[in-house]
Amino acid sequence: MEKQEITLDKIFKSLGDPIRMGVIKQLIIYEEGCGDKEMTCGSFDYCVNKATFSHHVKKLIEAGIICERTEGVKKYLFLNPDIKKKYPGLIETVKNSCLSCD
């Protein structure tokens, strides 16, 4: 599968959903809290069914905000390191906006 270009319009469109913002928030907090960059899909806290959660994860992956890695039967999600390089300050901005959402 070829790598798609990460664009701001895809990022902003993807982040327009509160479930997706919640996924990003959890990844940011997890990375800062434990130093580990990857979370298993089953360790997320979400209030929708599994299929809906998977749909939202897929949209974040398509936008290039997060990546996934499969190991055995487990799927791991992590923030795309290219985001920080291409759009410095974006993750910090998302983090700051999310912290006021609670």
Side-chain angles (χ1 to χ4, degrees):
M1 177 182 233
E2 71 180 58
K3 197 172 183 179
Q4 291 186 333
E5 183 181 357
I6 302 168
T7 61
L8 278 176
D9 62 324
K10 289 179 188 175
I11 292 169
F12 290 147
K13 188 181 242 182
S14 180
L15 292 178
D17 185 282
I19 302 293
R20 295 179 200 151
M21 284 291 280
V23 170
I24 300 302
K25 176 183 176 180
Q26 289 180 65
L27 283 170
I28 292 169
I29 291 170
Y30 187 76
E31 185 175 316
E32 290 181 350
C34 1
D36 193 0
K37 296 183 186 295
E38 299 179 342
M39 285 179 70
T40 60
C41 285
S43 63
F44 282 86
D45 182 27
Y46 52 90
C47 58
V48 293
N49 65 43
K50 189 175 179 180
T52 301
F53 179 75
S54 294
H55 165 77
H56 287 293
V57 165
K58 180 181 175 189
K59 292 297 182 184
L60 289 168
I61 291 169
E62 289 172 354
I65 302 168
I66 66 172
C67 299
E68 83 177 342
R69 176 180 72 82
T70 303
E71 186 176 304
V73 295
K74 289 188 177 182
K75 287 194 179 204
Y76 295 87
L77 302 176
F78 56 97
L79 294 170
N80 185 343
D82 293 340
I83 289 283
K84 292 178 182 179
K85 294 174 191 169
K86 186 165 184 174
Y87 300 110
L90 178 67
I91 296 299
E92 190 66 27
T93 301
V94 169
K95 174 187 146 188
N96 291 339
S97 71
C98 282
L99 291 179
S100 63
C101 294
D102 296 332

